[in-house]
Amino acid sequence: MVDMDKLTSLCKRRGFVYPSSEIYGGMNGSWDYGPMGVELKRNVKEQWWRNMVQNRQNVVGLDSAIIMHPEVWKTSGHVESFHDPMVDCKECKKRYRADHLDEMICPECGGELTEPKQFNLMFKTHVGAVEDSASVAYLRPETAQGIFVQYVNVLNDSRQKIPFGIAQIGKAFRNEVNPRNYIFRSREFEQMELEFFCHPSEADEWYEFWKKERREWYTYIGIRDDHLRVREHTEDELAHYANACVDIEYNFPFGWNELEGVANRQDFDLSQHQKFSGKKLEYFDDQTKESYIPYVIEPSAGVDRTVLVTLCDAYEEQDDPKRTVMHFSPRTAPIEVGVFPLMKKPVLADKAIEIEKVLRPHFRTFYDQVGSIGRRYRRQDECGTPCCLTVDYETIEKDDCVTLRDRDTLSQNRVPVDNIVSEVRKFLDSLCDKRE
Ligand code: ATP
């Protein structure tokens, strides 16, 4: 099992994740993604978008506002019931979520706890110059409502018919009582959500379909299937809007935890919005002449949790040779190929720079000429770069080939420079195949 302290230290050292506002002592529940992290996160989102939107005729995208009409959150039930039960320790004043505690004594000092109080998770703000009750607005706690309120516009403009889906990736905000476990639970995070609209009689089938699709996607981006499980919600866990829900869970170093929820939200949201906006949100099927409010199947995933899973699943410490290596799939690796001259000699460096230029339009590349070659390889191992190419004197004097070093097996093979794009492509593809 991965040690979280070691993982977070690697993430900081290699520029994956930094504590937010670190020079001011950090900000609990907020994290920044560094140069490696931002690439990893972009790749996760890119893979999701490709799978969920580009690869499907019946899904289209949306990018809705973070600050919406406050009525949206009343209608959705968030103002009324998006609460966590919170308790305080009377001794040490620490605050906990009551439903996260095994016993009702303070885990920190054993002190007595207060009765649970309900704590709304939405961040409140004021819009405009006047701070009064009429100007109250919220930062969205989920991206889903942005989709529901634009459902009719998208339906009319995109030439879609039911069944079809609307996908969105974007920031969401929750004033979590206890942000913890690194980027697993933060106050500002990103979601990748699909709302899939279907006929009520087909909802069960689509629910099964999306559960399967979503689990498979995680293995496609390189997560080991035996580290995943699908857990059905019990009756008392179900949210007020859902009649069925599963969590896709990952075996994190801190235990099995939710990575994504797939829920059958029925017609709850659209019916509510129809009722309170006064706008018709029914669907008219011109074949059957039936009017109805569609049911919605929602796979809702966290970008940051997927990044954390990708990091945990990739991490390995090896003894012989001693190194730490991140086994990212080429589909998510921040850098796909590193290019080095064996030494910092102009004749070698010029050739390596030239090769990197050829590769750059095709791959995420990185050029490095500083330090011993062994140290440069180890740095790339920690960044999870699947292959590195090294230019040496033989390249120049003899064979016009470079050494391709395989991150996982450490094997080194000579490959021709004049075919370098297809050689690298072949290598990365074979690595993806091997992992599937
Ligand atoms: P939890 O029970 O862990 O608080 P949830 O059931 O409230 O999560 P959902 O409302 O289903 O979560 O949100 C969908 C997804 O958004 C989650 O599966 C998770 O990946 C992500 N997510 C939710 N809250 C957070 C958070 N505070 N930090 C990071 N990701 C989050």
Side-chain angles (χ1 to χ4, degrees):
M1 194 51 87
V2 183
D3 178 323
M4 278 306 278
D5 289 340
K6 285 186 176 168
L7 181 70
T8 50
S9 134
L10 179 141
C11 283
K12 178 132 191 272
R13 181 164 81 238
R14 290 296 166 230
F16 283 96
V17 179
Y18 305 127
S20 161
S21 327
E22 196 185 7
I23 59 170
Y24 288 98
M27 173 82 189
N28 198 12
S30 291
W31 299 92
D32 296 343
Y33 290 84
M36 286 299 119
V38 76
E39 295 296 335
L40 177 60
K41 195 179 182 198
R42 277 171 53 89
N43 295 338
V44 163
K45 291 191 279 186
E46 184 63 30
Q47 290 293 352
W48 188 88
W49 196 261
R50 206 177 288 167
N51 178 296
M52 300 296 274
V53 185
Q54 291 172 351
N55 285 357
R56 299 174 200 270
Q57 269 183 353
N58 59 356
V59 177
V60 291
L62 181 75
D63 187 7
S64 69
I66 286 173
I67 300 176
M68 301 170 67
H69 197 295
E71 285 300 319
V72 169
W73 305 110
K74 287 188 188 150
T75 305
S76 67
H78 283 82
V79 171
E80 177 89 351
S81 58
F82 196 48
H83 291 111
D84 276 342
M86 178 192 81
V87 289
D88 292 311
C89 174
K90 291 180 181 167
E91 308 293 322
C92 72
K93 310 293 178 208
K94 277 235 153 85
R95 178 161 283 188
Y96 303 98
R97 251 175 78 172
D99 57 332
H100 283 170
L101 295 176
D102 297 329
E103 291 173 308
M104 286 306 271
I105 52 166
C106 176
E108 202 71 28
C109 74
E112 197 190 331
L113 299 173
T114 59
E115 283 299 307
K117 272 188 288 214
Q118 293 301 328
F119 176 77
N120 194 292
L121 294 178
M122 282 198 293
F123 279 99
K124 237 188 213 175
T125 186
H126 291 271
V127 169
V130 185
E131 285 198 15
D132 61 13
S133 59
S135 67
V136 165
Y138 303 94
L139 301 189
R140 68 178 177 202
E142 62 175 29
T143 65
Q145 296 303 323
I147 297 179
F148 294 130
V149 300
Q150 289 296 358
Y151 150 79
V152 169
N153 276 340
V154 176
L155 181 66
N156 290 340
D157 300 338
S158 64
R159 306 183 71 79
Q160 291 288 343
K161 284 188 183 325
I162 277 177
F164 84 106
I166 305 177
Q168 168 155 238
I169 300 179
K171 286 251 173 168
F173 303 83
R174 296 183 187 178
N175 198 0
E176 297 280 355
V177 177
N178 242 345
R180 63 197 171 128
N181 291 331
Y182 200 34
I183 54 175
F184 177 84
R185 185 178 303 287
S186 46
R187 295 198 169 113
E188 174 179 343
F189 55 97
E190 275 186 275
Q191 290 186 316
M192 309 182 277
E193 296 196 297
L194 171 73
E195 307 304 322
F196 193 81
F197 303 91
C198 62
H199 191 277
S201 68
E202 291 177 353
D204 291 347
E205 245 170 85
W206 283 112
Y207 175 60
E208 293 306 319
F209 173 84
W210 284 111
K211 279 197 293 197
K212 185 161 171 293
E213 288 285 295
R214 294 304 306 146
R215 181 175 183 153
E216 281 171 12
W217 181 74
Y218 289 102
T219 51
Y220 178 80
I221 63 162
I223 309 304
R224 280 165 285 184
D225 194 57
D226 59 340
H227 290 180
L228 293 166
R229 74 178 186 195
V230 175
R231 193 182 61 81
E232 202 81 38
H233 275 206
T234 55
E235 197 70 25
D236 54 336
E237 262 183 295
L238 282 177
H240 59 284
Y241 51 74
N243 78 351
C245 184
V246 289
D247 286 347
I248 301 178
E249 296 187 332
Y250 180 78
N251 195 5
F252 288 96
F254 42 86
W256 286 97
N257 269 285
E258 172 177 347
L259 175 55
E260 165 162 357
V262 183
N264 179 349
R265 293 181 80 122
Q266 309 175 89
D267 58 0
F268 175 80
D269 304 271
L270 291 181
S271 297
Q272 285 286 100
H273 286 304
Q274 172 163 291
K275 187 165 154 200
F276 289 95
S277 70
K279 300 282 179 323
K280 202 168 156 225
L281 301 181
E282 276 175 6
Y283 178 76
F284 177 69
D285 187 326
D286 46 19
Q287 303 271 307
T288 63
K289 310 289 176 218
E290 184 191 0
S291 274
Y292 60 93
I293 297 204
Y295 267 35
V296 174
I297 308 301
E298 175 195 71
S300 169
V303 176
D304 311 77
R305 284 192 192 174
T306 308
V307 168
L308 182 57
V309 161
T310 310
L311 289 164
C312 291
D313 220 61
Y315 186 94
E316 193 196 5
E317 283 174 37
Q318 292 178 344
D319 284 332
D320 189 18
K322 197 157 179 50
R323 62 171 187 155
T324 303
V325 50
M326 300 296 281
H327 297 283
F328 295 126
S329 158
R331 292 180 178 135
T332 54
I335 301 167
E336 289 166 291
V337 50
V339 184
F340 311 139
L342 183 63
M343 285 165 293
K344 198 176 143 188
K345 291 279 188 307
V347 59
L348 302 180
D350 289 351
K351 181 76 178 174
I353 287 167
E354 191 188 307
I355 293 172
E356 197 250 349
K357 240 191 207 153
V358 170
L359 292 168
R360 209 183 290 158
H362 305 273
F363 304 101
R364 296 180 293 277
T365 62
F366 180 72
Y367 174 80
D368 190 6
Q369 61 176 25
V370 180
S372 80
I373 191 72
R375 287 187 63 171
R376 279 179 274 161
Y377 282 152
R378 280 195 292 282
R379 175 182 283 264
Q380 290 309 307
D381 286 343
E382 292 197 352
C383 292
T385 307
C387 68
C388 291
L389 304 176
T390 303
V391 172
D392 55 23
Y393 282 107
E394 264 187 51
T395 314
I396 314 291
E397 289 163 7
K398 264 203 195 142
D399 57 2
D400 202 33
C401 286
V402 287
T403 301
L404 187 157
R405 173 188 182 266
D406 179 332
R407 170 198 69 194
D408 296 340
T409 64
L410 294 176
S411 73
Q412 302 203 5
N413 292 309
R414 301 290 286 178
V415 296
V417 171
D418 69 354
N419 228 355
I420 200 66
V421 171
S422 58
E423 288 293 340
V424 172
R425 172 76 56 219
K426 200 165 67 186
F427 174 81
L428 295 175
D429 285 351
S430 74
L431 186 54
C432 288
D433 289 347
K434 225 188 293 173
R435 296 168 67 105
E436 268 182 21

